[in-house]
Amino acid sequence: MHRTFISMSWTPGVAAEEAQILLHVIEDIYTTLRPRFGVPGQFDPLPVVRVFGAWTIPSIPQDAAYANVEWYIANSMDDTHQSILASRYLETIILEPWQATNPHFDLALTDLPIIDDVSSQPPALHALGMSKPGILSLISSHPFKSIDNSELHELALRHIYSHYFGRLLDVPRANRSDDTLEHRGGLYCTNTCALRFTDTPTLALSFAQQEMANGQIFCEACQKDLVAQIAGFHFGAN
């Protein structure tokens, strides 16, 4: 489906610096990918990033459906009201009126725990995030509170942000057979790359340090996949 922009939002409890890191990560990814689309200025299918943050629509009642970020969260909590249940959040996103009128990607950040009952069997408790390729990536900063050092904390977040950006675009591509691993129903890269399977903050930090030493966020194969997927979504070929 044709999708040309990313709606970026976060819940009110997300720290300003964590949201800022996400913006910087997207800028770094775009800086890496843009030269692959040819002569600068001639063709740039990279999705426009529209930053809404912890948004609200003041012109409608604040307890109305889709009135604000808090409504999304309240509508998506698990039965204990302690964590976001991924399937409920995904359904809320799919049914939102703006997806029908103007299809787009949703990239969301929350400070709340996530139970991923969409991409994991059995459901993963306190997942680092969840993704429905082509529609949504939801990332939780909650598990990363275990990393006290601010520089290491940022490094680990950069990895997981990059990871879920790639998963939002369905990378690695399903037709790729080299350097990939199928795990828990998903396809992951096995190179030194942000798209390796990552399920703990410790692993995210370790991978981030390797990627920094290697001088790139995504491996060459995943960069090519990202370019192909972005062009496909731009033209509606996916």
Side-chain angles (χ1 to χ4, degrees):
M1 181 178 287
H2 181 64
R3 297 179 190 271
T4 59
F5 76 91
I6 296 172
S7 171
M8 186 182 297
S9 62
W10 49 81
T11 52
V14 169
E17 57 270 22
E18 291 176 332
Q20 196 66 36
I21 292 166
L22 179 57
L23 293 171
H24 289 322
V25 166
I26 302 301
E27 289 172 359
D28 290 346
I29 292 172
Y30 279 19
T31 298
T32 298
L33 296 180
R34 189 168 281 113
R36 292 179 174 266
F37 292 107
V39 178
Q42 288 190 350
F43 177 59
D44 188 355
L46 289 164
V48 174
V49 179
R50 299 181 181 176
V51 181
F52 294 99
W55 61 271
T56 185
I57 303 175
S59 60
I60 64 175
Q62 291 304 287
D63 58 351
Y66 297 101
N68 48 53
V69 168
E70 285 96 334
W71 183 88
Y72 279 69
I73 299 305
N75 207 50
S76 306
M77 298 299 285
D78 72 335
D79 293 340
T80 69
H81 298 282
Q82 299 296 316
S83 302
I84 295 174
L85 190 62
S87 60
R88 292 177 181 171
Y89 191 90
L90 175 61
E91 182 180 26
T92 302
I93 291 294
I94 291 173
L95 294 178
E96 72 176 12
W98 304 287
Q99 277 291 355
T101 59
N102 200 357
H104 58 274
F105 303 102
D106 272 282
L107 182 59
L109 179 60
T110 182
D111 60 312
L112 299 170
I114 297 172
I115 299 174
D116 183 4
D117 62 335
V118 172
S119 54
S120 296
Q121 295 294 332
L125 300 176
H126 297 174
L128 304 187
M130 62 78 59
S131 187
K132 181 67 173 178
I135 299 176
L136 166 70
S137 274
L138 173 66
I139 308 163
S140 175
S141 62
H142 183 270
F144 293 88
K145 293 178 181 178
S146 61
I147 303 177
D148 294 328
N149 181 281
S150 60
E151 292 183 1
L152 298 182
H153 182 263
E154 177 176 346
L155 199 56
L157 284 178
R158 289 183 63 86
H159 169 85
I160 210 63
Y161 291 167
S162 301
H163 178 86
Y164 279 102
F165 176 87
R167 298 211 61 75
L168 179 63
L169 293 165
D170 205 8
V171 175
R173 301 180 79 193
N175 62 358
R176 185 172 131 201
S177 57
D178 294 336
D179 305 317
T180 59
L181 167 71
E182 284 193 56
H183 186 64
R184 297 183 185 176
L187 189 66
Y188 299 88
C189 186
T190 58
N191 295 320
T192 300
C193 178
L195 283 161
R196 287 175 282 185
F197 176 76
T198 311
D199 62 348
T200 67
T202 301
L203 196 56
L205 176 57
S206 176
F207 285 165
Q209 290 169 324
Q210 294 170 29
E211 290 147 21
M212 184 172 64
N214 202 41
Q216 60 183 13
I217 303 168
F218 300 110
C219 70
E220 182 68 19
C222 282
Q223 288 186 46
K224 290 180 179 177
D225 282 354
L226 282 164
V227 167
Q229 291 296 89
I230 288 168
F233 281 113
H234 180 81
F235 290 113
N238 289 75

